[in-house]
């Protein structure tokens, strides 16, 4: 009897094999947390903060409730205030800009470069005004932004560089780890990220001890000691339960990133025969961690629909540049403002990619893509 389903389903991200690898460790760790009910502030959080700082080669890491909160903490601890302008790319996940808005600062969007779709340093230089206080490069899709080109712009205008490192855990540029180059960084451990928790979590990373301390106080109700509230902060702590999962996964992250790299190479080999497909490449100097595998195709919407109907969980990251979302219509940047981001948004297509994807699955994905392209 044929028990094969009519269409085989391949998700964009499959975390089950990751979970199987860490299951025993996590079960044991959770038993400890529940046994001594150390749900907030358990030693596992501090253990993770030390381990993640070491993994990146940074001096300080502060566990946080999620990536958006981590970015907000980084901005506030860097002294960014209401009314300040913060430059960031139009092509990013909305959280980068949300963090800016939540502190009353003003997101100033710029376009990206046409090849890697990363924040365009020349556009950043053009967007600087008297009110600019920070630049937020986003290390998109697992690639480091061209931060060494932003550093002189930041230095010339006394701007803070606050990295959005949510998609680049372990990525390096000229040997420097994403998230350790600017004044501070925020990262996200949303389950689908390269390092993912069992729910929401994030972290602030910095080499500046005073900034790290300010961020810690802001994220703990503005208090360094219980009930001594020195500033109005909020609650942005990482749960102990999340730290247990992250500690287990962190020891495997370098290996999983290497598996992603191999999978990306395999896709490049399989895809180069398909006419009209633009295959992503690593920028010179970059060691990417392939958070997403983003190709560009003609007739993207039709191709995506056909792939989805064939059970392939392809996606779009992201369908709208920020200025074309309803949420940011108030920025007053009409269509045509950022042509590279806008054109990319009509052609980009993310193929399934995760550490344990097999060659056989990738071949199936590419076969279906070839059919969809017609
Ligand atoms: C995931 C992500 C975030 C925010 O993360 P949350 O943990 O969901 O708050 C921020 N920026 C980028 C680029 C992301 O991909």
């Amino acid at each position: 009897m044929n028990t094969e389903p009519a269409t085989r389903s391949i998700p964009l991200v499959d975390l089950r094999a990751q979970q199987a690898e860490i299951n025993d460790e996590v079960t044991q760790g959770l038993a400890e947390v529940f046994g001594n009910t150390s749900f907030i502030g358990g030693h596992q959080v501090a253990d993770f903060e030390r381990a993640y700082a070491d993994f990146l080669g940074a001096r300080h890491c502060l566990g946080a409730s999620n990536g958006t909160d981590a970015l907000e903490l980084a901005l506030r601890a860097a002294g960014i205030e209401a009314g300040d302008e913060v430059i960031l790319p139009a092509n990013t996940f909305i959280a980068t800009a949300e963090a800016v808005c939540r502190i009353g600062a003003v997101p100033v969007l710029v376009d990206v470069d046409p090849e890697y779709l990363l924040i365009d340093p020349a556009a950043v230089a053009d967007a600087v005004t008297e009110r600019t206080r920070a630049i937020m490069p986003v290390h998109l899709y697992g690639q480091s932004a061209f931060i060494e080109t932003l550093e002189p712009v930041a230095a010339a205008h006394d701007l803070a560089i606050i990295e959005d490192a949510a998609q680049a855990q372990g990525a390096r540029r000229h040997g420097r780890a994403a998230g350790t180059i600017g004044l501070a960084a925020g990262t996200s451990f949303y389950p689908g990220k390269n390092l993912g928790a069992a729910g929401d979590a994030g972290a602030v990373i910095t080499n500046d001890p005073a900034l790290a301390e300010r961020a810690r106080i802001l994220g703990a109700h503005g208090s360094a000691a219980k009930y001594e509230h020195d500033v109005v902060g909020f609650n942005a702590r990482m749960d102990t339960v999340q730290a247990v999962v992250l500690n287990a996964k962190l020891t495997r992250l370098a290996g999983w990133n290497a598996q992603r790299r191999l999978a990306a190479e395999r896709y490049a080999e399989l895809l180069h025969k398909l006419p009209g497909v633009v295959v992503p490449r690593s920028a010179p100097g970059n060691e990417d961690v392939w958070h997403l595998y983003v190709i560009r195709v003609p007739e993207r919407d039709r191709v995506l629909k056909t792939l989805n109907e064939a059970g392939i969980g392809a996606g779009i990251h992201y369908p709208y540049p920020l200025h074309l979302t309803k949420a940011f219509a108030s920025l007053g940047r009409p269509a045509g403002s950022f042509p590279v981001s806008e054109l990319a948004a009509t052609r980009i297509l993310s193929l399934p990619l995760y550490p344990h994807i097999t060659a056989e699955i990738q071949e199936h994905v590419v076969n279906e893509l070839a059919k969809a392209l017609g």
Side-chain angles (χ1 to χ4, degrees):
M1 206 175 85
N2 185 3
T3 53
E4 276 284 297
T7 23
R8 191 175 160 202
S9 189
I10 310 292
L12 184 67
V13 179
D14 187 342
L15 300 176
R16 285 170 300 181
Q18 277 194 356
Q19 191 51 40
E21 276 189 42
I22 62 166
N23 210 40
D24 291 349
E25 219 169 299
V26 168
T27 305
Q28 246 179 10
L30 291 183
E32 188 194 330
V33 177
F34 281 80
N36 61 25
T37 64
S38 55
F39 299 118
I40 300 285
H43 71 85
Q44 293 88 343
V45 176
D47 295 348
F48 174 73
E49 290 173 341
R50 190 64 262 144
Y52 196 61
D54 290 346
F55 173 80
L56 294 178
R59 286 178 66 189
H60 302 278
C61 168
L62 168 71
S65 37
N66 59 64
T68 314
D69 286 347
L71 289 169
E72 176 176 345
L73 284 175
L75 288 164
R76 285 182 67 179
I80 310 305
E81 294 178 347
D84 292 346
E85 292 181 359
V86 178
I87 300 173
L88 56 107
N91 180 36
T92 181
F93 181 57
I94 195 163
T96 319
E98 284 175 326
V100 174
C101 290
R102 285 210 330 210
I103 62 177
V106 181
V108 173
L109 304 182
V110 296
D111 214 344
V112 294
D113 79 276
E115 175 138 24
Y116 307 103
L117 307 180
L118 295 166
I119 190 168
D120 176 358
V124 171
D126 288 345
V128 174
T129 73
E130 275 157 34
R131 308 181 72 150
T132 310
R133 291 290 172 273
I135 308 169
M136 290 179 87
V138 180
H139 303 301
L140 199 69
Y141 308 151
Q143 352 165 59
S144 298
F146 307 123
I147 207 156
E148 75 284 357
T149 322
L150 295 171
E151 284 173 322
V153 181
H157 301 279
D158 197 20
L159 311 177
I161 295 182
I162 307 293
E163 300 166 71
D164 182 337
Q167 299 192 1
Q169 290 143 352
R172 289 179 176 272
R173 175 155 184 80
H174 300 304
R176 300 197 289 176
T180 67
I181 305 165
L183 177 61
T187 195
S188 163
F189 305 121
Y190 175 82
K193 304 290 196 220
N194 288 39
L195 179 59
D200 281 312
V204 178
I205 298 119
T206 183
N207 289 320
D208 180 332
L211 190 150
E213 184 58 19
R214 282 196 297 279
R216 187 174 294 281
I217 289 171
L218 282 168
H221 300 297
S223 67
K226 205 163 190 180
Y227 303 128
E228 307 276 344
H229 305 284
D230 303 322
V231 288
V232 179
F234 63 119
N235 177 2
R237 292 179 298 235
M238 177 187 281
D239 292 336
T240 310
V241 160
Q242 299 308 340
V244 167
V245 175
L246 292 169
N247 279 321
K249 285 192 177 176
L250 180 56
T251 60
R252 292 157 172 95
L253 180 59
W256 288 345
N257 280 344
Q259 286 170 248
R260 285 175 184 271
R261 230 167 260 136
L262 279 179
E265 280 166 26
R266 218 183 277 136
Y267 265 142
E269 231 160 79
L270 293 166
L271 289 167
H272 88 272
K273 323 179 199 74
L274 299 190
V277 174
V278 178
V279 172
R281 280 173 211 295
S282 288
N286 265 4
E287 196 178 309
D288 297 339
V289 292
W290 300 96
H291 173 60
L292 292 164
Y293 192 85
V294 179
I295 61 172
R296 278 174 270 181
V297 295
E299 296 182 73
R300 194 273 319 277
D301 290 341
R302 185 188 60 74
V303 171
L304 176 64
K305 186 161 172 280
T306 311
L307 279 177
N308 290 163
E309 281 164 5
I312 309 294
I316 308 175
H317 299 88
Y318 295 90
Y320 307 102
L322 295 188
H323 63 298
L324 301 184
T325 63
K326 272 191 211 158
F328 284 112
S330 58
L331 293 178
R333 304 305 306 257
S337 299
F338 305 110
V340 180
S341 298
E342 289 170 34
L343 178 64
T346 67
R347 309 202 66 202
I348 49 178
L349 181 75
S350 308
L351 296 181
L353 186 97
Y354 42 89
H356 300 82
I357 196 168
T358 62
E360 193 269 324
I361 291 175
Q362 290 187 272
E363 281 157 23
H364 176 64
V365 168
V366 173
N367 284 341
E368 293 297 333
L369 175 66
K371 282 197 246 166
L373 286 164

